[in-house]
Amino acid sequence: FFHEKVTAATVIAILLSLAGIALLNQTGDGTSLSLWGVTLVMLSSLTYAIYIVVVNKSSLRMSSVKLTFYVLLFGLFTIYGYTLAMGETVQLLVTPKQWLYATQLALMPTVLSLVLMVIAVHDIGSTPTAIMGAIEPITAVAIGVLVFGENFTPRLAIGIVLILTAVLLIIGGKEMSPHKITLAISRVGKRLAKTWRWKS
């Protein structure tokens, strides 16, 4: 819609990040994913992508904090309206511990994340911001392994390598030719193959 120039580095980075995220989210025990859940995730990703592009291309100019405030305010009214429409009640926070957790949840992964995302979109554009946002599942895997004792499998390792490669391609995308990208990927693949052969 906005006639952005699509480079080879961007296309390869998108494919690598999608493959990496698929590996990180694939069930390890072979069970099938919920079709409804996958649909909801795709719709959520689509609306988030539209939001990132609109923030980058909109003629509306305001500070990142102010824009984040209006986005969260709209989300508040939307959730409250949905709650009333479904006949549900709002559960109030009553203990200091609940308020502490709610405050941390509101500030760290919500307000701070959205403000920094808006700043990133304005500084580097929507496509690099979206691709570098693929680091989020890597964080989730790291927390799962280090905090909750989940198994770190070769599938997760390959997924992380693919995502980090995509991020590095975006960082140096303007200086990357298709030949250099293909050469770099082949070298990474050979090193991974040697590593797994050595371990086995």
Side-chain angles (χ1 to χ4, degrees), residues 20-191:
I21 293 172
L23 287 173
L24 294 186
N25 289 280
Q26 184 182 4
T27 54
D29 55 359
T31 58
S32 59
L33 296 175
S34 167
L35 180 60
W36 176 241
V38 172
T39 303
L40 289 177
V41 169
M42 296 303 293
L43 290 174
S44 173
S45 302
L46 176 62
T47 54
Y48 192 59
I50 293 174
Y51 170 67
I52 291 177
V53 173
V54 168
V55 168
N56 186 37
K57 299 296 182 179
S58 175
S59 58
L60 181 64
R61 290 291 175 260
M62 63 175 64
S63 68
S64 303
V65 174
K66 185 182 293 186
L67 178 61
T68 302
F69 168 77
Y70 285 119
V71 169
L72 293 177
L73 185 65
F74 175 78
L76 171 65
F77 285 124
T78 302
I79 293 173
Y80 188 67
Y82 176 80
T83 302
L84 294 179
M86 297 300 293
E88 303 288 341
T89 57
V90 178
Q91 181 179 352
L92 299 178
L93 304 178
V94 292
T95 66
K97 192 174 184 179
Q98 290 177 350
W99 278 103
L100 175 63
Y101 290 155
T103 302
Q104 291 177 344
L105 185 63
L107 293 179
M108 295 299 294
T110 308
V111 175
L112 183 61
S113 174
L114 288 174
V115 169
L116 294 178
M117 191 275 296
V118 173
I119 295 174
V121 169
H122 285 154
D123 287 347
I124 65 175
S126 53
T127 302
T129 300
I131 294 177
M132 295 182 72
I135 295 179
E136 292 177 7
I138 296 180
T139 307
V141 169
I143 293 176
V145 172
L146 297 176
V147 178
F148 298 106
E150 296 181 358
N151 293 327
F152 186 72
T153 63
R155 173 175 56 83
L156 295 180
I158 295 173
I160 289 175
V161 170
L162 290 176
I163 292 175
L164 291 179
T165 304
V167 172
L168 293 176
L169 284 176
I170 286 300
I171 293 174
K174 293 182 179 179
E175 301 176 359
M176 291 287 186
S177 64
H179 175 69
K180 290 182 178 179
I181 294 171
T182 306
L183 186 61
I185 293 175
S186 64
R187 287 177 178 174
V188 171
K190 290 178 181 178
R191 289 180 181 177

